[in-house]
Amino acid sequence: MKARNKKTISKILKLKDSRKKELELEVKMAADKVDEEESKLNTLQDNYEETLRYFNEKNDSGSLDIHNINSYYDFFSRINGKIDAQKKVHDRCQTELSSLKNSLVNAHKEKKMYEILTDKAIKADKRENALSEQKDADFTAISRRIK
């Protein structure tokens, strides 16, 4: 294989390696974002459940008047909206992470493919060099016999 082709393959391999590293960083950042959004979601859900328990205790004891009950229902309505919105954000982040992971897998495959091409080019060069050296040796041997 010509040196120019090897250089081209080497450059492409470097680019693929750089892209793979970029994707690894993006996957890490996306995973951190998913964890952060999940934490926010869990906090909202815990707050909802804790307030609901408190509300049920007070309601069962009969110590809530109509204004307090309305306040709690407004709170539950607002927090349900926040929980639904946070679930959407969390799902979107998970989808993005999944997509980035797939891209990273493809980047690994592409890099491996170019590594294999590089290895093949090196082996082809070695074969050509060995064949050339053998031809030179054969020519030298034949030239000595003829003289």
Side-chain angles (χ1 to χ4, degrees):
M1 186 169 269
K2 296 182 176 132
R4 199 166 116 191
N5 288 345
K6 281 196 311 188
K7 282 185 181 180
T8 302
I9 292 172
S10 294
K11 287 179 182 178
I12 292 172
L13 181 59
K14 286 179 185 177
L15 289 172
K16 296 295 180 182
D17 188 47
S18 294
R19 180 65 182 141
K20 181 186 73 86
K21 288 178 182 175
E22 287 174 14
L23 282 170
E24 286 173 345
L25 184 60
E26 288 178 28
V27 165
K28 184 186 179 321
M29 289 176 12
D32 291 345
K33 181 74 172 168
V34 166
D35 291 343
E36 179 183 324
E37 296 301 329
E38 185 176 19
S39 177
K40 289 178 184 178
L41 178 61
N42 289 338
T43 300
L44 285 171
Q45 289 174 332
D46 291 346
N47 189 9
Y48 177 86
E49 290 172 8
E50 184 179 314
T51 305
L52 181 61
R53 270 194 303 275
Y54 182 77
F55 169 77
N56 286 334
E57 288 173 10
K58 292 293 183 181
N59 195 32
D60 288 344
S61 69
S63 62
L64 293 176
D65 62 12
I66 190 71
H67 295 295
N68 287 339
I69 291 174
N70 282 336
S71 294
Y72 276 104
Y73 281 128
D74 286 342
F75 171 79
F76 291 134
S77 177
R78 275 185 279 123
I79 201 165
N80 271 333
K82 287 180 181 180
I83 288 172
D84 289 341
Q86 189 60 36
K87 282 180 181 179
K88 288 177 185 174
V89 169
H90 182 254
D91 290 345
R92 184 175 35 84
C93 289
Q94 281 186 318
T95 301
E96 184 179 326
L97 176 61
S98 178
S99 174
L100 285 171
K101 282 182 178 180
N102 288 336
S103 296
L104 180 59
V105 167
N106 289 335
H108 276 286
K109 288 178 183 177
E110 288 177 6
K111 182 179 179 236
K112 187 65 178 171
M113 180 183 71
Y114 280 98
E115 286 173 346
I116 291 170
L117 285 175
T118 302
D119 289 345
K120 284 183 179 181
I122 290 170
K123 287 178 184 176
D125 270 354
K126 285 181 181 178
R127 274 195 307 269
E128 285 179 21
N129 289 341
L131 185 60
S132 177
E133 288 174 9
Q134 184 63 45
K135 285 182 181 179
D136 288 344
D138 290 347
F139 177 76
T140 304
I142 293 173
S143 295
R144 288 184 186 162
R145 287 185 195 161
I146 294 176
K147 292 181 182 181

